[in-house]
Amino acid sequence: MAFEGLSDRLDAAFKRLRSKGSLTEKDVRDAMREVRMALLEADVSFKVARDFTSQVTERAIGSSVMESLTPAQMVVKIVHEELVALMGGTRSRLTQASRGPTVVMMCGLQGSGKTTHSAKIALMLKNQGHRPLLAACDVYRPAAIQQLQVIGEKAGVPVFEMGTDTNPVKIAEEALKLARDQGYDYVFLDTAGRLHIDEQLMQELKDIKAAVRPQEILLVVDAMTGQDAVNVAASFNEALGIDGLVLTKLDSDTRGGAALSARAVTGRPIKFVGTGEKLGDLDVFHPERMAQRILGMGDVLSLIEKAETMLDEKKAAEMEQKLLKNKFDMNDLLEQFRQLRKMGNMKDILGMIPGVGKQVRDIDIDERQFDKVQALILSMTPQERRKPDIINPSRKRRIAAGAGQQVEDVNRLLAQFRQMQKMMRQMGGGRPGKNQMRGMMEQFR
């Protein structure tokens, strides 16, 4: 999970501050020294880490903080505010053309995820009611056009291509012309990349920019490369003048330094972050929400938005009524699993809930268990799913054989189902405790 190490270090530093009734200037400076080390270990650039902690220290040693009733909380509040400012302050939206289609030029090095994320952003816009078009402007990398066509088909977004013998500038111009003629409101230009930055690459990108005048130039960078990603962003921005960044593989980077440094170094906002391999694994970047995650405050708004986008509202209402009437059965459990899996990685989803992320951080959640549970439930008869209490030893043997599992697996599922029923009744009257949440997640280990 992104920022995991940084979150742990910051939590430890703030815990020491909270243990003190009052704070001295030395306490604050010692804590900021730990924060600076945590940022550096998270692969944040030295200058950004130094400037950040200096700004926090300057604000934190003021009399309004030191003399307040909760000085430690005031310091945490200042760190939160400065983290938000460091990452851009507010969400930065895509610029839209005043007339005609909006042209988004996607650029980046090879392997950064440029082609995939062109389709991801296009799919996000399509789901919002727009009509995007993908244009294959990479005529050099083997199978680049085919890759875009395959992923475009999966996203349900059309792809414009003119083969590998046409100049990329011409392809971009023709794609824009087609978009105007056929009413597409977004055109994504999937441009060529290189293994490194070179003059030929930059010249081609400059030529495309001059020909079609894109409203947005988005640079796709691999967050896993840390400071290299920031250096690449700075080079592209200097040569081309980018408008925003797309950080990929942020879910795989436990340090997260690129997200904190990129905006500060380039002065350009992070607009999207890739959070997984699936086409739907893309989030709009919200600096405040990211700061809350880093500080262990959860991210309820993103969780709600994801749920509203991915979950079936009618089924959710039906489920709520069943829970209220205590009629939750195996069919409902199966549907619940299917709905949750639409939302993405379970550990990341739970991490958005305030106070829960740290509880499940050390639990290894094996999502393949969802498939095993589904196989067992589907091996039951309709009557057994409605009334699990009728499942006797002979039925258990039949269910296990049908799912290719053991009777012990059936027993475990039934025990877990009864525990979940009990927990859901308790959750109806209040928030689940730490041990209850941990127990719920143990079944997916």
Side-chain angles (χ1 to χ4, degrees):
M1 188 174 72
F3 302 111
E4 192 170 304
L6 177 59
S7 295
D8 288 341
R9 289 289 301 271
L10 292 179
D11 186 52
F14 295 145
K15 195 171 290 183
R16 277 189 283 276
L17 284 181
R18 292 189 187 102
S19 67
K20 300 175 183 291
S22 59
L23 296 183
T24 66
E25 184 174 325
K26 183 179 183 300
D27 292 331
V28 173
R29 293 191 183 280
D30 287 346
M32 287 308 106
R33 190 176 298 111
E34 290 185 45
V35 170
R36 183 165 63 249
M37 290 304 299
L39 291 170
L40 292 173
E41 287 181 10
D43 214 14
V44 176
S45 72
F46 175 77
K47 182 180 184 303
V48 172
R50 183 194 62 197
D51 293 348
F52 175 82
T53 51
S54 295
Q55 182 68 18
V56 173
T57 302
E58 185 179 335
R59 290 183 60 190
I61 60 177
S63 59
S64 60
V65 174
M66 307 297 279
E67 296 173 8
S68 68
L69 293 175
T70 56
Q73 286 300 109
M74 291 289 285
V75 173
V76 175
K77 180 175 181 289
I78 291 170
V79 170
H80 174 259
E81 291 171 352
E82 291 298 327
L83 273 175
V84 173
L86 178 65
M87 291 185 287
T90 57
R91 170 190 171 184
S92 182
R93 301 174 184 272
L94 285 178
T95 303
Q96 284 188 283
S98 56
R99 290 182 59 191
T102 298
V103 179
V104 182
M105 182 173 160
M106 305 290 288
C107 55
L109 298 183
Q110 280 185 17
S112 62
K114 176 165 42 64
T115 299
T116 303
H117 282 75
S118 296
K120 282 186 175 185
I121 300 173
L123 174 60
M124 178 181 281
L125 290 169
K126 178 193 169 190
N127 290 338
Q128 294 171 1
H130 295 282
R131 293 193 66 216
L133 174 70
L134 294 166
C137 297
D138 184 354
V139 298
Y140 309 108
R141 182 168 60 89
I145 296 175
Q146 184 181 3
Q147 181 193 0
L148 188 64
Q149 288 174 324
V150 169
I151 201 167
E153 184 177 353
K154 286 182 181 178
V157 177
V159 174
F160 176 83
E161 58 92 12
M162 297 176 67
T164 58
D165 297 327
T166 308
N167 185 291
V169 176
K170 180 69 173 175
I171 295 172
E173 290 174 330
E174 292 300 316
L176 180 55
K177 189 181 299 183
L178 176 73
R180 285 174 177 149
D181 291 343
Q182 299 192 11
Y184 293 103
D185 56 355
Y186 277 92
V187 180
F188 286 85
L189 307 178
D190 180 28
T191 64
R194 300 284 193 279
L195 294 175
H196 59 277
I197 297 169
D198 60 27
E199 192 174 327
Q200 183 182 358
L201 166 66
M202 288 303 179
Q203 188 56 53
E204 181 176 290
L205 295 176
K206 289 175 183 177
D207 292 343
I208 294 174
K209 177 182 178 181
V212 297
R213 299 179 186 176
Q215 280 71 40
E216 285 277 352
I217 300 178
L218 296 183
L219 176 67
V220 183
V221 291
D222 183 344
M224 288 286 287
T225 59
Q227 282 306 299
D228 283 343
V230 179
N231 296 335
V232 166
S235 298
F236 267 87
N237 186 46
E238 184 180 347
L240 194 62
I242 63 174
D243 298 298
L245 295 157
V246 180
L247 287 183
T248 68
K249 303 180 187 175
L250 192 62
D251 59 310
S252 303
D253 180 20
T254 59
R255 296 174 301 175
L260 292 174
S261 299
R263 197 270 175 187
V265 171
T266 63
R268 297 295 182 266
I270 301 167
K271 299 206 172 186
F272 300 96
V273 289
T275 56
E277 297 179 359
K278 297 177 183 177
L279 279 174
D281 293 339
L282 180 78
D283 289 338
V284 172
F285 187 76
H286 293 269
E288 182 162 3
R289 298 182 193 181
M290 187 60 73
Q292 289 174 342
R293 291 194 205 182
I294 294 171
L295 296 177
M297 299 175 181
D299 186 0
V300 175
L301 287 176
S302 291
L303 181 60
I304 292 171
E305 286 177 0
K306 192 178 284 286
E308 287 176 343
T309 303
M310 304 302 294
L311 302 188
D312 188 306
E313 189 175 335
K314 183 179 178 182
K315 288 181 180 178
E318 291 173 356
M319 191 73 68
E320 183 181 359
Q321 288 302 310
K322 287 192 174 186
L323 287 172
L324 290 172
K325 296 176 182 178
N326 199 22
K327 292 184 177 180
F328 186 82
D329 61 21
M330 284 288 181
N331 288 313
D332 300 317
L333 178 62
L334 180 61
E335 181 59 33
Q336 201 73 337
F337 281 165
R338 287 172 172 170
Q339 292 282 316
L340 286 172
R341 293 198 76 177
K342 289 180 183 179
M343 292 176 64
N345 181 280
M346 188 55 57
K347 201 166 185 177
D348 290 343
I349 295 299
L350 288 169
M352 293 181 184
I353 304 173
V356 173
K358 292 177 185 176
Q359 296 174 24
V360 299
R361 183 178 295 169
D362 298 327
I363 298 178
D364 184 17
I365 300 173
D366 184 359
E367 300 212 9
R368 290 173 298 183
Q369 293 297 328
F370 284 110
D371 298 325
K372 292 182 179 180
V373 169
Q374 178 172 295
L376 286 171
I377 296 175
L378 291 176
S379 187
M380 298 175 185
T381 66
Q383 187 182 20
E384 288 167 345
R385 291 183 215 167
R386 289 194 300 271
K387 299 179 179 180
D389 290 339
I390 69 172
I391 300 177
N392 56 29
S394 63
R395 289 175 184 263
K396 289 177 183 178
R397 288 193 291 272
R398 192 203 75 248
I399 292 168
Q405 298 181 53
Q406 303 298 317
V407 172
E408 289 82 355
D409 297 314
V410 181
N411 288 332
R412 188 181 304 111
L413 171 60
L414 292 173
Q416 290 164 352
F417 175 72
R418 286 190 288 271
Q419 179 65 17
M420 288 183 71
Q421 280 185 315
K422 181 180 177 182
M423 283 182 60
M424 285 178 177
R425 285 195 294 270
Q426 292 172 337
M427 288 171 70
R431 292 171 57 186
K434 175 178 178 178
N435 293 332
Q436 293 168 333
M437 183 60 69
R438 178 173 286 272
M440 181 179 176
M441 297 317 302
E442 285 286 344
Q443 62 190 291
F444 304 118
R445 295 188 74 159

